[in-house]
């Protein structure tokens, strides 16, 4: 791996500036050769009308961590990542606290990356289980 853990985290945290990730307060907290971890606070910013964690916020966390993880595997000068499919099963409700999304690579091809993202609470209970497919494309000129 070309980058150290701290370099990977700094790079991933820089992706979120002025984006939905900043709005949702998503922060990358751990990284390794085949995984990336981010956390997000559960508060009124991510609640649905019943005061529970919105499934869309969970999916945003999953796609954020899975897409950032794919970006760590590619040459960002030559390629870019696009999420092309995401599926989520929401298994447990959450009202407040913190959720953590851990992306682990299932398949790393030249043009397709498949990730499993487990979203857990502070006790390690599974909140959502997601699957994300990313496509790796040649970088387009601005």
């Amino acid at each position: 791996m070309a980058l150290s853990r701290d370099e990977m985290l700094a790079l991933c945290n820089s992706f979120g500036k002025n984006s939905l990730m900043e709005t949702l307060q998503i922060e990358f907290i751990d990284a390794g050769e085949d995984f990336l971890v981010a956390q997000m606070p559960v508060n009124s910013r991510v609640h649905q009308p019943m005061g529970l964690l919105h499934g869309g916020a969970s999916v945003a966390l999953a796609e954020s961590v899975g897409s950032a993880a794919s970006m760590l595997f590619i040459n960002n000068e030559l390629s870019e990542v696009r999420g092309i499919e995401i599926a989520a099963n929401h298994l447990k409700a959450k009202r407040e606290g913190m959720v953590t999304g851990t992306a682990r690579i299932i398949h790393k091809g030249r043009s397709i990356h498949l990730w499993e993202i487990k979203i857990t609470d502070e006790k390690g209970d599974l909140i959502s289980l997601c699957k994300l497919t990313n496509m790796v494309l040649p970088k387009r000129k601005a």
Side-chain angles (χ1 to χ4, degrees):
M1 181 169 287
L3 298 175
S4 72
R5 176 187 171 274
D6 290 341
E7 290 169 329
M8 285 189 283
L9 292 174
L11 178 63
C12 290
N13 281 313
S14 74
F15 295 150
K17 301 296 181 208
N18 300 314
S19 72
L20 178 66
M21 291 166 48
E22 185 173 65
T23 301
L24 299 180
Q25 300 175 307
I26 294 171
E27 178 185 12
F28 293 92
I29 60 169
D30 199 10
E33 290 186 25
D34 65 348
F35 73 95
L36 184 62
V37 182
Q39 63 183 12
M40 178 180 74
V42 179
N43 54 39
S44 62
R45 289 178 186 244
V46 298
H47 282 166
Q48 42 92 307
M50 299 301 293
L52 300 170
L53 174 61
H54 194 293
S58 294
V59 170
L61 172 61
E63 186 159 359
S64 296
V65 71
S67 293
S70 278
M71 292 175 69
L72 294 174
F73 281 137
I74 66 170
N75 180 336
N76 288 289
E77 293 179 11
L78 301 176
S79 302
E80 55 191 23
V81 172
R82 296 286 184 273
I84 59 172
E85 182 179 15
I86 190 162
N89 294 97
H90 306 300
L91 306 170
K92 186 175 180 184
K94 180 86 173 147
R95 287 191 183 276
E96 60 183 33
M98 189 71 70
V99 287
T100 302
T102 302
R104 294 201 178 274
I105 191 75
I106 295 170
H107 172 77
K108 183 178 82 169
R110 286 179 288 126
S111 60
I112 296 288
H113 294 171
L114 179 62
W115 294 92
E116 175 188 74
I117 301 101
K118 290 183 177 178
I119 299 175
T120 57
D121 66 10
E122 300 92 338
K123 296 183 281 187
D125 290 341
L126 189 60
I127 303 297
S128 296
L129 179 62
C130 305
K131 182 183 75 170
L132 172 67
T133 306
N134 289 326
M135 179 179 282
V136 180
L137 299 169
K139 192 162 200 159
R140 296 180 186 163
K141 298 189 190 248

XYZ file of all heavy atoms in Angstrom, residues 43-129:
655
model
N -28.261 12.273 15.193
C -28.908 13.415 15.838
C -29.990 13.931 14.892
O -30.294 13.269 13.889
C -27.875 14.501 16.180
C -27.048 14.914 14.980
O -27.551 15.019 13.860
N -25.760 15.142 15.188
N -30.546 15.088 15.182
C -31.652 15.591 14.361
C -31.274 15.813 12.897
O -32.137 15.778 12.026
C -32.201 16.895 14.960
O -31.189 17.887 14.972
N -29.996 15.987 12.596
C -29.565 16.160 11.195
C -29.868 14.930 10.339
O -30.020 15.053 9.133
C -28.061 16.414 11.115
C -27.601 17.735 11.603
C -26.072 17.768 11.484
N -25.545 18.966 12.065
C -24.909 19.897 11.377
N -24.698 19.760 10.102
N -24.463 20.969 11.986
N -29.887 13.752 10.964
C -30.049 12.505 10.206
C -31.307 11.734 10.602
O -31.458 10.575 10.232
C -28.793 11.603 10.340
C -27.572 12.289 9.760
C -28.553 11.195 11.787
N -32.214 12.382 11.315
C -33.465 11.721 11.723
C -34.508 11.773 10.619
O -34.585 12.730 9.865
C -34.066 12.414 12.955
C -33.388 12.059 14.225
N -33.578 12.780 15.380
C -32.525 11.052 14.562
C -32.863 12.250 16.362
N -32.219 11.203 15.881
N -35.349 10.753 10.591
C -36.586 10.806 9.819
C -37.659 11.382 10.752
O -37.362 11.650 11.919
C -36.929 9.429 9.224
C -36.712 8.233 10.139
C -37.932 7.851 10.927
O -38.526 8.673 11.595
N -38.271 6.568 10.875
N -38.884 11.646 10.268
C -39.891 12.325 11.098
C -40.223 11.658 12.432
O -40.655 12.327 13.367
C -41.119 12.366 10.187
C -40.554 12.394 8.816
C -39.342 11.500 8.883
N -39.996 10.354 12.564
C -40.298 9.660 13.817
C -39.150 9.741 14.825
O -39.197 9.119 15.882
C -40.653 8.189 13.540
C -41.880 8.013 12.653
S -43.379 8.754 13.343
C -43.624 7.723 14.758
N -38.099 10.487 14.490
C -36.978 10.655 15.408
C -35.962 9.537 15.388
O -35.161 9.404 16.315
N -35.979 8.743 14.325
C -35.032 7.631 14.167
C -34.037 7.942 13.059
O -34.309 8.767 12.179
C -35.783 6.344 13.810
C -36.822 5.862 14.814
C -37.641 4.733 14.227
C -36.150 5.439 16.108
N -32.904 7.248 13.065
C -31.923 7.369 11.996
C -32.600 7.091 10.663
O -33.217 6.039 10.471
C -30.773 6.382 12.228
C -29.714 6.268 11.140
C -28.997 7.595 10.911
C -28.711 5.171 11.507
N -32.510 8.028 9.756
C -33.102 7.905 8.418
C -32.307 6.873 7.613
O -31.070 6.884 7.609
C -33.046 9.268 7.735
C -33.892 9.377 6.518
N -33.641 8.678 5.371
C -35.000 10.122 6.282
C -34.547 8.983 4.460
N -35.392 9.861 4.993
N -33.023 5.975 6.942
C -32.348 4.976 6.113
C -31.479 5.609 5.044
O -30.413 5.093 4.705
N -31.906 6.752 4.519
C -31.107 7.450 3.509
C -29.789 7.959 4.066
O -28.773 7.979 3.363
N -29.783 8.358 5.336
C -28.535 8.788 5.962
C -27.589 7.599 6.125
O -26.380 7.728 5.914
C -28.812 9.448 7.302
N -28.142 6.447 6.480
C -27.315 5.236 6.569
C -26.718 4.892 5.212
O -25.540 4.544 5.108
C -28.150 4.050 7.077
O -28.567 4.260 8.389
N -27.527 5.010 4.169
C -27.043 4.727 2.810
C -25.980 5.759 2.403
O -24.981 5.408 1.770
C -28.215 4.675 1.808
C -27.719 4.630 0.374
C -29.087 3.460 2.106
N -26.176 7.019 2.789
C -25.167 8.045 2.484
C -23.842 7.716 3.170
O -22.765 7.871 2.577
C -25.667 9.424 2.902
N -23.896 7.253 4.415
C -22.680 6.833 5.111
C -22.030 5.668 4.381
O -20.820 5.670 4.124
C -22.995 6.458 6.558
C -21.851 5.827 7.363
C -20.652 6.767 7.473
C -22.349 5.416 8.747
N -22.839 4.670 4.009
C -22.306 3.485 3.322
C -21.660 3.858 1.992
O -20.549 3.420 1.684
C -23.416 2.463 3.107
N -22.345 4.668 1.192
C -21.779 5.037 -0.108
C -20.540 5.907 0.051
O -19.582 5.776 -0.704
C -22.807 5.737 -0.989
C -22.260 5.980 -2.387
C -23.313 6.189 -3.446
O -24.513 6.134 -3.149
O -22.914 6.395 -4.600
N -20.539 6.761 1.060
C -19.369 7.620 1.298
C -18.138 6.792 1.639
O -17.057 7.008 1.076
C -19.662 8.609 2.426
O -20.700 9.488 2.072
N -18.288 5.845 2.549
C -17.130 5.058 2.968
C -16.706 4.073 1.872
O -15.519 3.893 1.619
C -17.367 4.368 4.342
C -18.357 3.249 4.269
C -16.064 3.889 4.944
N -17.665 3.470 1.170
C -17.311 2.539 0.093
C -16.683 3.224 -1.105
O -15.734 2.716 -1.707
N -17.178 4.399 -1.453
C -16.603 5.138 -2.590
C -15.209 5.654 -2.264
O -14.299 5.583 -3.090
C -17.519 6.291 -2.995
O -18.719 5.787 -3.518
N -15.035 6.180 -1.052
C -13.712 6.644 -0.645
C -12.717 5.488 -0.635
O -11.567 5.641 -1.049
C -13.788 7.312 0.725
N -13.171 4.319 -0.184
C -12.290 3.150 -0.164
C -11.841 2.783 -1.575
O -10.664 2.482 -1.801
C -13.000 1.972 0.509
N -12.770 2.826 -2.541
C -12.379 2.543 -3.925
C -11.348 3.552 -4.427
O -10.419 3.197 -5.150
C -13.597 2.577 -4.854
O -14.296 1.357 -4.821
N -11.508 4.810 -4.021
C -10.565 5.835 -4.467
C -9.151 5.572 -3.961
O -8.181 5.978 -4.595
C -11.062 7.222 -4.051
C -12.311 7.621 -4.805
S -13.019 9.177 -4.277
C -11.787 10.329 -4.853
N -9.029 4.860 -2.842
C -7.704 4.519 -2.328
C -7.008 3.454 -3.171
O -5.790 3.329 -3.120
C -7.815 4.039 -0.875
C -8.258 5.084 0.143
C -8.476 4.427 1.502
C -7.247 6.217 0.239
N -7.789 2.695 -3.946
C -7.232 1.609 -4.754
C -6.836 2.028 -6.164
O -6.266 1.238 -6.902
C -8.250 0.476 -4.896
C -8.344 -0.412 -3.688
C -9.586 -0.805 -3.230
C -7.229 -0.870 -3.030
C -9.707 -1.643 -2.137
C -7.333 -1.702 -1.935
C -8.577 -2.096 -1.486
N -7.208 3.226 -6.576
C -6.975 3.619 -7.966
C -5.938 4.728 -8.051
O -5.610 5.368 -7.055
C -8.288 4.080 -8.648
C -8.812 5.362 -8.001
C -9.335 2.966 -8.618
C -9.956 6.017 -8.759
N -5.460 4.959 -9.254
C -4.609 6.118 -9.531
C -5.551 7.276 -9.837
O -6.152 7.327 -10.915
C -3.685 5.820 -10.714
C -2.786 6.984 -11.047
O -3.094 8.139 -10.748
N -1.667 6.686 -11.680
N -5.693 8.192 -8.898
C -6.659 9.275 -9.032
C -6.306 10.275 -10.130
O -7.141 11.091 -10.507
C -6.843 9.994 -7.692
C -7.614 9.152 -6.714
O -8.807 8.958 -6.872
N -6.935 8.625 -5.710
N -5.096 10.227 -10.647
C -4.732 11.093 -11.770
C -5.269 10.535 -13.082
O -5.516 11.278 -14.018
C -3.221 11.276 -11.841
C -2.664 12.052 -10.665
C -1.167 12.211 -10.722
O -0.554 11.905 -11.770
O -0.595 12.644 -9.704
N -5.470 9.212 -13.136
C -5.905 8.563 -14.374
C -7.348 8.070 -14.337
O -7.978 7.921 -15.384
C -4.992 7.368 -14.685
C -3.514 7.663 -14.851
C -2.738 6.368 -15.052
C -3.289 8.614 -16.012
N -7.863 7.798 -13.141
C -9.183 7.172 -13.013
C -10.037 7.905 -11.995
O -9.534 8.659 -11.169
C -9.033 5.711 -12.575
O -8.250 4.979 -13.488
N -11.353 7.635 -12.067
C -12.296 8.149 -11.083
C -13.332 7.076 -10.783
O -13.498 6.130 -11.551
C -12.949 9.449 -11.557
C -13.618 9.370 -12.901
C -14.001 10.741 -13.436
O -13.415 11.751 -13.025
O -14.906 10.786 -14.283
N -14.021 7.237 -9.664
C -14.956 6.224 -9.169
C -16.369 6.755 -9.271
O -16.641 7.914 -8.965
C -14.629 5.874 -7.695
C -15.683 4.979 -7.098
C -13.254 5.236 -7.597
N -17.292 5.881 -9.681
C -18.718 6.193 -9.682
C -19.458 5.039 -9.032
O -19.272 3.878 -9.407
C -19.272 6.351 -11.104
C -18.716 7.498 -11.885
C -19.293 8.827 -11.383
N -18.833 9.917 -12.197
C -17.710 10.584 -12.014
N -16.896 10.234 -11.060
N -17.385 11.595 -12.793
N -20.297 5.349 -8.048
C -21.171 4.340 -7.477
C -22.270 4.033 -8.478
O -22.914 4.946 -8.989
N -22.473 2.747 -8.780
C -23.494 2.402 -9.777
C -24.654 1.606 -9.185
O -25.716 1.524 -9.791
C -22.898 1.665 -10.997
C -22.200 0.376 -10.599
C -21.960 2.587 -11.754
C -21.768 -0.485 -11.778
N -24.462 1.036 -7.997
C -25.574 0.333 -7.351
C -25.298 0.242 -5.861
O -24.169 -0.006 -5.440
C -25.745 -1.079 -7.913
C -26.915 -1.809 -7.296
C -27.121 -3.208 -7.859
O -26.216 -3.741 -8.509
O -28.202 -3.755 -7.613
N -26.348 0.452 -5.082
C -26.239 0.259 -3.641
C -27.532 -0.395 -3.162
O -28.620 -0.062 -3.627
C -25.929 1.569 -2.885
C -25.594 1.269 -1.422
C -27.036 2.580 -3.045
C -24.870 2.392 -0.704
N -27.368 -1.351 -2.262
C -28.510 -2.030 -1.640
C -28.294 -1.990 -0.138
O -27.162 -2.107 0.337
C -28.598 -3.473 -2.118
N -29.382 -1.786 0.599
C -29.266 -1.686 2.052
C -30.410 -2.413 2.737
O -31.553 -2.320 2.312
C -29.273 -0.218 2.475
N -30.071 -3.131 3.776
C -31.050 -3.724 4.671
C -30.887 -3.040 6.013
O -29.825 -3.106 6.625
C -30.822 -5.234 4.819
C -31.073 -5.966 3.539
O -30.140 -6.257 2.808
N -32.323 -6.254 3.254
N -31.947 -2.359 6.453
C -31.931 -1.673 7.738
C -32.505 -2.638 8.779
O -33.654 -3.062 8.675
C -32.728 -0.378 7.657
C -32.277 0.513 6.546
N -30.981 1.000 6.476
C -32.916 0.983 5.458
C -30.867 1.750 5.392
N -32.027 1.745 4.748
N -31.698 -2.984 9.752
C -32.024 -4.074 10.660
C -32.404 -3.640 12.070
O -33.054 -4.391 12.785
C -30.841 -5.044 10.728
C -30.386 -5.561 9.351
C -29.075 -6.299 9.481
C -31.459 -6.432 8.735
N -31.970 -2.455 12.470
C -32.227 -2.006 13.834
C -32.349 -0.493 13.841
O -31.608 0.192 13.144
C -31.089 -2.449 14.758
C -31.329 -2.160 16.212
C -30.224 -2.736 17.080
C -30.539 -2.412 18.541
N -29.469 -2.851 19.413
N -33.267 0.028 14.640
C -33.462 1.475 14.752
C -32.409 2.080 15.680
O -31.873 1.408 16.565
C -34.856 1.776 15.288
N -32.160 3.371 15.449
C -31.195 4.107 16.271
C -31.702 5.535 16.426
O -32.066 6.181 15.445
C -29.828 4.084 15.570
C -28.726 4.797 16.283
C -28.079 3.894 17.287
C -26.838 4.577 17.874
N -26.642 4.205 19.246
N -31.763 6.040 17.657
C -32.275 7.395 17.919
C -31.173 8.420 18.140
O -31.297 9.572 17.755
C -33.182 7.394 19.147
C -34.514 6.759 18.901
C -35.484 7.018 20.041
N -36.729 6.317 19.796
C -37.714 6.781 19.049
N -37.594 7.953 18.467
N -38.813 6.080 18.870
N -30.107 8.039 18.809
C -29.031 8.975 19.105
C -27.745 8.206 19.324
O -27.750 6.985 19.457
C -29.366 9.807 20.343
C -29.585 8.991 21.583
C -29.989 9.849 22.781
O -30.670 10.872 22.582
O -29.610 9.485 23.901
N -26.647 8.940 19.332
C -25.345 8.320 19.543
C -24.484 8.403 18.295
O -24.466 9.427 17.606
N -23.818 7.301 17.989
C -22.873 7.269 16.875
C -23.065 5.961 16.120
O -23.313 4.924 16.732
C -21.449 7.347 17.426
C -20.375 7.533 16.400
S -20.340 9.162 15.620
C -19.775 10.196 16.954
N -22.962 6.028 14.807
C -22.909 4.810 13.995
C -21.577 4.796 13.255
O -21.010 5.846 12.940
C -24.096 4.684 13.012
C -25.375 4.351 13.743
C -24.251 5.905 12.143
N -21.111 3.597 12.997
C -19.828 3.389 12.330
C -20.050 2.525 11.110
O -20.684 1.467 11.201
C -18.836 2.695 13.295
O -18.680 3.511 14.456
C -17.488 2.482 12.632
N -19.535 2.971 9.973
C -19.607 2.210 8.732
C -18.248 1.627 8.402
O -17.263 2.367 8.306
N -18.192 0.306 8.261
C -16.951 -0.380 7.911
C -17.112 -1.026 6.545
O -17.943 -1.923 6.372
C -16.598 -1.455 8.959
O -16.494 -0.830 10.246
C -15.286 -2.150 8.611
N -16.333 -0.536 5.581
C -16.355 -1.075 4.222
C -15.229 -2.092 4.078
O -14.072 -1.798 4.406
C -16.178 0.051 3.204
N -15.592 -3.286 3.588
C -14.602 -4.333 3.300
C -14.776 -4.768 1.858
O -15.890 -5.013 1.395
C -14.777 -5.522 4.230
C -14.467 -5.165 5.672
C -14.139 -6.382 6.508
N -13.817 -5.984 7.859
C -12.614 -5.616 8.286
N -11.605 -5.605 7.429
N -12.402 -5.263 9.534
N -13.667 -4.890 1.166
C -13.693 -5.238 -0.254
C -14.116 -6.696 -0.424
O -13.663 -7.582 0.303
C -12.318 -4.970 -0.925
C -12.401 -5.065 -2.437
C -11.233 -5.868 -0.378
C -13.049 -3.903 -3.103
N -15.020 -6.924 -1.345
C -15.435 -8.276 -1.719
C -14.784 -8.652 -3.047
O -14.298 -9.765 -3.218
C -16.975 -8.361 -1.831
C -17.614 -8.128 -0.460
C -17.403 -9.710 -2.407
C -19.113 -7.966 -0.506
N -14.776 -7.692 -3.979
C -14.162 -7.925 -5.301
C -13.479 -6.650 -5.753
O -14.089 -5.582 -5.739
C -15.224 -8.333 -6.325
C -14.699 -8.405 -7.723
N -13.932 -9.455 -8.167
C -14.816 -7.544 -8.751
C -13.601 -9.233 -9.439
N -14.123 -8.081 -9.807
N -12.208 -6.755 -6.128
C -11.464 -5.611 -6.645
C -10.976 -5.952 -8.052
O -9.917 -6.537 -8.236
C -10.284 -5.270 -5.739
C -9.521 -4.031 -6.199
C -8.389 -3.677 -5.254
C -7.193 -4.517 -5.568
N -5.958 -4.096 -4.900
N -11.805 -5.585 -9.042
C -11.417 -5.780 -10.431
C -10.843 -4.498 -11.012
O -10.732 -3.482 -10.337
N -10.478 -4.554 -12.284
C -9.941 -3.356 -12.950
C -10.999 -2.282 -13.111
O -10.710 -1.094 -13.018
C -9.349 -3.710 -14.316
C -8.019 -4.431 -14.237
C -7.490 -4.787 -15.613
N -8.318 -5.877 -16.153
C -8.931 -5.848 -17.328
N -8.798 -4.818 -18.118
N -9.663 -6.860 -17.724
N -12.246 -2.699 -13.358
C -13.293 -1.712 -13.628
C -14.460 -1.760 -12.646
O -15.295 -0.862 -12.658
C -13.818 -1.896 -15.051
O -14.357 -3.194 -15.207
N -14.516 -2.777 -11.803
C -15.612 -2.907 -10.838
C -15.035 -3.236 -9.459
O -14.197 -4.122 -9.323
C -16.603 -4.025 -11.253
C -17.303 -3.687 -12.564
C -17.609 -4.303 -10.137
C -18.329 -2.581 -12.471
N -15.510 -2.510 -8.458
C -15.212 -2.811 -7.054
C -16.528 -3.114 -6.357
O -17.497 -2.364 -6.508
C -14.563 -1.626 -6.348
C -13.213 -1.262 -6.851
N -12.573 -0.118 -6.452
C -12.366 -1.880 -7.716
C -11.404 -0.038 -7.042
N -11.251 -1.091 -7.824
N -16.562 -4.187 -5.588
C -17.747 -4.554 -4.813
C -17.388 -4.515 -3.333
O -16.406 -5.144 -2.916
C -18.229 -5.952 -5.216
C -19.447 -6.502 -4.475
C -20.673 -5.617 -4.707
C -19.724 -7.937 -4.908
N -18.192 -3.765 -2.569
C -17.941 -3.563 -1.146
C -19.116 -4.038 -0.305
O -20.264 -3.866 -0.693
C -17.749 -2.067 -0.860
C -16.527 -1.498 -1.476
C -16.420 -0.893 -2.707
C -15.217 -1.488 -0.930
N -15.130 -0.514 -2.930
C -14.366 -0.871 -1.859
C -14.687 -1.949 0.277
C -13.011 -0.692 -1.622
C -13.325 -1.775 0.509
C -12.508 -1.151 -0.436
N -18.802 -4.586 0.856
C -19.803 -4.832 1.889
C -19.556 -3.785 2.970
O -18.424 -3.614 3.431
C -19.647 -6.221 2.488
C -20.603 -6.460 3.648
C -20.331 -7.761 4.367
O -19.329 -7.823 5.110
O -21.111 -8.708 4.175
N -20.619 -3.071 3.346
C -20.501 -2.058 4.388
C -21.441 -2.422 5.521
O -22.651 -2.530 5.326
C -20.831 -0.642 3.859
C -19.904 -0.254 2.701
C -20.704 0.386 4.985
C -20.524 -0.388 1.365
N -20.868 -2.629 6.697
C -21.655 -2.904 7.892
C -21.716 -1.624 8.716
O -20.675 -1.046 9.047
C -21.039 -4.029 8.715
C -21.154 -5.385 8.045
C -20.601 -6.486 8.932
C -20.793 -7.839 8.257
N -20.232 -8.934 9.070
N -22.926 -1.201 9.033
C -23.132 -0.041 9.889
C -23.552 -0.550 11.261
O -24.554 -1.261 11.377
C -24.178 0.917 9.293
C -23.686 1.412 7.931
C -24.446 2.084 10.247
C -24.678 2.269 7.191
N -22.749 -0.207 12.257
C -22.968 -0.694 13.613
C -23.087 0.477 14.591
O -22.684 1.593 14.287
C -21.817 -1.613 14.062
O -20.583 -0.893 13.964
C -21.749 -2.873 13.206
N -23.631 0.173 15.767
C -23.718 1.196 16.817
C -22.551 1.040 17.783
O -21.645 0.228 17.563
C -25.076 1.148 17.516
C -25.309 -0.128 18.313
O -24.374 -0.934 18.515
O -26.455 -0.332 18.751
N -22.584 1.801 18.868
C -21.490 1.798 19.847
C -21.295 0.439 20.503
O -20.198 0.120 20.956
C -21.756 2.835 20.954
C -21.892 4.253 20.481
C -23.340 4.646 20.180
O -24.191 3.760 19.929
O -23.616 5.844 20.191
N -22.351 -0.374 20.571
C -22.255 -1.706 21.192
C -21.831 -2.781 20.186
O -21.685 -3.942 20.551
C -23.591 -2.087 21.820
C -24.000 -1.187 22.972
C -25.294 -1.657 23.614
C -26.457 -1.220 22.752
N -27.769 -1.478 23.339
N -21.687 -2.388 18.916
C -21.340 -3.353 17.886
C -22.548 -4.010 17.253
O -22.401 -4.906 16.423
N -23.754 -3.580 17.641
C -24.969 -4.141 17.046
C -25.105 -3.664 15.602
O -24.857 -2.485 15.295
C -26.209 -3.714 17.835
C -26.283 -4.364 19.207
O -25.608 -5.391 19.429
O -27.016 -3.830 20.059
N -25.529 -4.571 14.732
C -25.682 -4.255 13.316
C -26.946 -3.429 13.094
O -28.050 -3.873 13.414
C -25.730 -5.555 12.500
C -25.671 -5.433 10.988
C -24.372 -4.757 10.529
C -25.786 -6.824 10.354
N -26.782 -2.230 12.565
C -27.883 -1.324 12.267
C -28.339 -1.514 10.822
O -29.528 -1.638 10.545
C -27.470 0.146 12.508
C -26.976 0.354 13.943
C -28.595 1.104 12.143
C -27.992 0.096 15.017
N -27.384 -1.528 9.885
C -27.682 -1.728 8.459
C -26.563 -2.536 7.821
O -25.398 -2.428 8.223
C -27.796 -0.386 7.721
O -28.865 0.374 8.200
N -26.936 -3.317 6.817
C -25.975 -4.071 6.019
C -26.153 -3.631 4.576
O -27.256 -3.714 4.030
C -26.219 -5.576 6.156
C -25.302 -6.486 5.358
C -23.853 -6.318 5.810
C -25.742 -7.930 5.496
